[in-house]
Structure formats: C-alpha cells, structure tokens
Amino acid sequence: MAPRPLAVGAALVAAGLVLALVLGPVAAVLARAGGWGALGPGDWQALRFTLLQALLSALFSVVLAIPVARALSRRRFPGRGLLISLLGAPFILPTIVAVLGLIAVFGQNGMVNGALKALGLPGFSIYGLHGVVLAHVFFNLPLATRLLLQGWLAIPAERFRLAASLGLSPFAMLRTLELPMLLRIAPGAFAVIFVICLSSFAVALTLGGGPRATTVELAIYQAVRFDFDLGRAALLSVIQLGLALCAGLVALRLGTGGGFRAGLGRVMTRWDARAGLARVLDGGWIILAALFLLTPLGMVIARGLPGLAQLGAGSWEAAWNSLTVALASTLLCLCWALPLSTRWGEWVGLAGIAVSPLVLGTGLFLIVRPFANPLSLALPVTTLVNALAALPFALRILRPEAEAVRADYARLAQALGLTPMAWVRLVLLPRLRRPLGFAAGLTAALSIGDLGVIALFADPERATLPLQVYRLMGSYQMEAAAGAALLLLIFSFGAFWLCDRGGRANADT
C-alpha cells in the first residue's frame, strides 16, 4: 500500500482544507456580527420540526430502498441498466424543478387528486410535514437504493453458491449474508440522508405550508435576508453543524463490521429468487419505485418541450458556465475524496453539507471582499462550494470499497515494494473504477443543478443554468423557464450517465 506517512500526510492536508472551508466562513460571519445572537420561540420550533422531518425522511428513504435494491440485485431483465440509471435521476434533479414535477402529480390539481376525485374519494394536500417528507423521499430513495445495491453486488457470487450447496433456507441466507451487509451500509446511508434533510431549504420553502413547518435553514434565511441578524444566523448554523456531526458519528459507529472480501467476479442466478412469490414481490417493488420516481420526471419533460425553442443566448451561455463549474467541481471533489476515504475522513467530510450554504456564501463573501470583487469570483467560489457539498456523497460511495482494497492488497503491495504512484495507478484506481464513476457522476450532476452560492455572488453577466431558470421564472417567462428546466435536466442526467458508465457496467455483474 501507499507508504503510511505519505497517505497520512495527504489525508491531513485534505482534512485541513475541508475544515478551514467549513469553519472559516462561520467565523467570518460571527466576527462581522460581533458575537452570538439569541434564539427565539420560532427558532426552537424550527429546530424541532427540522429534526422530525429529517428523521422521518431518512427512515422512510432507507426502509423503502431495501426491498427495491434487493429486487434489482437478484433480477435480470431487458433495460435493467437503463432503469437503474433512470431511478437515480430524481436525486440529481434541481430541487425547484423536481418540486414542480411533484406538484403536477400530487398537488391539488395533480394526477393523484384527480384520480381520487373521479373515484369519489377525498383528496389531500401536499403542503405540510407529509409533503416535505414525501419530497425528501422522492429525492433520497434513489441514493439509498444505489448505495444498498452496491452493497448487494459486493457480496461475492461464491458466497451465494456456497449457501445453496449447504441447503440454507432463504431466511438463513438473509441472516447470514444480507443482514451483515445491511448493518454495514444502511447506517451510513441513513446518516447522509439525515444530514441532507437537516439543511433542507427549497423543499420546506415551497411545500412547508407555514411557520409550523419551518426548518433551521429557513430560519437562517429569514435571519440573514429579513432581520440581518448575522449572530443568530451563525448560532443556528453551528447548531445545525453540531446535529449533523453527532448524527454522522453515531451512524458511523453503528456501521461497523468488515466486508466479504474480493470474489472472482462471476455472475450467477440467485436460487432463492426462483419462487413465484419472490418474483411477484420483486416485480411489484420495482414497478412501484419506477412509477413513484419517474412520473414527476415525465411531467417536467412534457411541460418543458415547447419551451426549448424559446431559449436565448443567455440561457446557452449559462449552460456552458454550469458545465465548466461541474467539471472543475468533480475533479476537485475526487482529489479530496481519495485520501479521505477512511472512517474518520468520512466524518470530516460530513461537515461539507452540515453548514448552511447561506452562511457559507455570506462568510466567503466577507472573506473575499477585502482582496477582490466577490462578483468577479462567482464561478470559482461556486466551484469550491459545490465540491465541498458533494464530498460526503463521494466518501460514502468510495469508502467501503477503498477500505476493502487496502485490506485485501496491503500485504501484497508491501511484498512487491510498490511505490505510492504504482499503488495508486496499478491497484487503487483500477479497483475503484465503479465507485469512482458513480461518485463523479453524482458530483457533476449535483453541481450542474445547484442553486445556492451562485445566487448570492452572481452579477447579471454571470449565471449558471439553475440561476437562469430562476430569473426566467421571476420575469414570468414561464414557458422559457420550463424549457431551460428541461435543458438543465438533460445536462444533469447526461453528465451523470457519462461518468457512471463504469458503475452501470459493473451493476450487471
């Protein structure tokens, strides 16, 4: 393996940069405010609601992903690879675009309420706690499914063959092979989704339904935008950071246990999936998941096609900016993730999405302003923040297989006397091709669809495609906005598909 001093040094440098970029902006905001602010009753209500919706969202996302991932892992059918890629689309959708799709399906005048009324049944409102949880499950069920699916695919086929030769029952095989994998993967997936939902902003803003459904991120937005109470915003951000780090630490401690080591990479049919009931259950879960996740996407496409012809030069320039930022963010994120793909490195990386993007953007604005015009650095700053925000996802994807490679090949590498570069080129990168492709695709797609810091820094001449969609909506050019949103969807999914090719190829094995 790589010489330990060099590996530790690279990890310390990467961790130092991450912590400096997380804590520096918070300190800048706090210094500008002159101290901590005080929390009011509304802030405590926002804190309770944030914890409740994050807990429910993470719980439903992971629990529902288990049967879906299990069904996909033991079924082979035409178009399976394409379906796996499409099921990942909701997570990489820009939030505001996805919310529009959900309203078209579950809203007051949506497809589901229309069907209920036709049957003479009472309708329901998408606004409130259940709407926020529904949207978060829509976004995060694909992520949980992909993480668990990789865990199932990492179980060597030889283990299933041995279980069949020993005559193990399906329940015994579940307890012996699949449950240990779930206990190793599921807590980490729960922690990442919980942290994502802790910082929910656009979903709570559009589907929350009032002050009783306000998240901490919304409270920070109100403190910065309306009250200009930077001290209260900094205190709320630190509370949010502490909650996320505690959740990540607990989940990482729960997710102990080694993997199954490397197999021979053979493909075999799961004998426990041949029963008729198993076929019906697997098919049912795959169909339900596909309908839940793909119907809103279909509505976005149907409403966006007429607007593509109305896109002007500004929209195409914004699209080029988005692609450039996404490429740079992906490279930077992977350079951080490789040395940090350890247990403590993942804990450090969780800080990247734990701090409020609004506080992060405001802090960076305050840090940059004495040296340069922040507006001229909008795209580089957005690149930096996007890479930081995607780091926890990349680490969750890379860490299990990176640790397995180190465990399996460390002694061989030492016996052969491999140099650090030879270890990375000949051992590490080839065996991480599948998770690296998935992590790169996810990072690129999230960066293309991000609407956060760019909204604080951008001037009229610099915009990314999400900001262009927002500006078109603000000027009531709704058809052009729908077209730009569809273009954004195409770029996000295209970037994910191109980078994830290696991962999809291995999903068939």
Side-chain angles (χ1 to χ4, degrees), residues 83-219:
L83 177 62
I84 291 174
S85 292
L86 288 174
L87 290 181
F91 185 75
I92 61 180
L93 267 182
T95 304
I96 192 65
V97 177
V99 167
L100 291 175
L102 287 172
I103 291 176
V105 177
F106 298 101
Q108 189 68 28
N109 299 314
M111 297 172 59
V112 174
N113 272 319
L116 291 175
K117 290 177 182 177
L119 296 173
L121 299 174
F124 65 90
S125 172
I126 195 176
Y127 301 101
L129 173 63
H130 53 284
V132 173
V133 174
L134 175 70
H136 284 161
V137 173
F138 174 79
F139 281 115
N140 296 302
L141 176 61
L143 175 64
T145 300
R146 289 298 301 265
L147 291 174
L148 293 173
L149 178 60
Q150 288 202 54
W152 252 294
L153 294 175
I155 301 177
E158 292 77 15
R159 299 297 183 101
F160 291 109
R161 184 177 288 113
L162 178 61
S165 65
L166 293 175
L168 295 185
S169 67
F171 177 76
M173 194 172 67
L174 171 68
R175 181 169 54 85
T176 306
L177 294 180
E178 297 173 300
L179 190 59
M181 181 277 296
L182 286 174
L183 293 177
R184 185 168 56 91
I185 302 293
F190 179 92
V192 170
I193 296 173
F194 183 84
V195 173
I196 293 171
C197 297
L198 274 181
S199 59
S200 177
F201 175 69
V203 169
L205 181 68
T206 52
L207 299 178
R212 294 178 61 84
T214 296
T215 61
V216 171
E217 191 72 8
L218 268 179

Side-chain angles (χ1 to χ4, degrees), residues 96 221 225 451 455 465-475 481:
I96 192 65
Y221 173 76
R225 181 68 182 272
L451 176 60
L465 197 51
L467 184 58
Q468 183 69 5
V469 174
Y470 179 77
R471 287 174 175 174
L472 289 172
M473 293 174 64
S475 59

Side-chain angles (χ1 to χ4, degrees), residues 312-324 379 460-465 468 487 491:
S315 296
W316 291 108
E317 184 179 350
W320 172 253
N321 288 338
S322 288
L323 292 175
T324 305
L379 296 181
E461 297 180 354
R462 294 181 181 83
T464 57
L465 197 51
Q468 183 69 5
L487 185 64
F491 282 175

Side-chain angles (χ1 to χ4, degrees), residues 9 78 80 82 105 115 131 202 223 245 253 262 284 383 453 480 487-488:
R80 174 178 172 275
L82 178 62
V105 177
L245 294 181
R253 292 186 66 86
T383 297
V453 177
L487 185 64
L488 186 57

Side-chain angles (χ1 to χ4, degrees), residues 21-44:
L21 288 171
V22 170
L23 300 178
V26 176
V29 170
L30 194 58
R32 176 67 175 79
W36 302 105
L39 301 184
D43 297 322
W44 291 109

Side-chain angles (χ1 to χ4, degrees), residues 249-463:
L249 182 61
V250 170
L252 290 175
R253 292 186 66 86
L254 288 176
T256 56
F260 290 94
R261 300 297 180 90
L264 299 178
R266 295 173 178 170
V267 181
M268 66 169 291
T269 303
R270 290 276 298 271
W271 62 272
D272 61 317
R274 296 172 182 169
L277 180 60
R279 292 175 182 272
V280 171
L281 289 176
D282 286 351
W285 280 111
I286 291 173
I287 291 172
L288 285 175
L291 287 175
F292 175 63
L293 297 174
L294 300 183
T295 303
L297 297 183
M299 298 299 293
V300 171
I301 294 173
R303 296 185 175 185
L305 283 174
L308 284 177
Q310 300 185 19
L311 296 180
S315 296
W316 291 108
E317 184 179 350
W320 172 253
N321 288 338
S322 288
L323 292 175
T324 305
V325 168
L327 177 61
S329 297
T330 301
L331 292 175
L332 182 58
C333 180
L334 294 183
C335 289
W336 265 332
L338 280 174
L340 288 177
S341 56
T342 61
R343 175 179 293 276
W344 71 268
E346 188 175 8
W347 185 79
V348 171
L350 279 174
I353 56 173
V355 173
S356 164
L358 298 175
V359 172
L360 197 61
T362 305
L364 287 173
F365 183 91
L366 295 172
I367 292 173
V368 169
R369 191 173 59 173
F371 308 101
N373 181 6
L375 300 182
S376 64
L377 299 175
L379 296 181
V381 170
T382 301
T383 297
L384 193 64
V385 174
N386 286 350
L388 190 64
L391 182 59
F393 307 110
L395 288 173
R396 184 84 294 270
I397 295 167
L398 287 175
R399 186 196 140 203
E401 294 202 35
E403 289 187 334
V405 170
R406 295 188 188 102
D408 290 339
Y409 295 95
R411 291 184 178 179
L412 178 61
Q414 286 179 341
L416 295 176
L418 292 182
T419 64
M421 288 302 297
W423 160 260
V424 172
R425 183 170 58 86
L426 300 176
V427 180
L428 189 63
L429 292 182
R431 281 153 185 83
L432 292 182
R433 185 170 63 91
R434 181 182 63 186
L436 273 175
F438 183 30
L442 197 60
T443 303
L446 290 175
S447 181
I448 288 176
D450 178 70
L451 176 60
V453 177
I454 188 68
L456 293 175
F457 279 86
D459 58 20
E461 297 180 354
R462 294 181 181 83

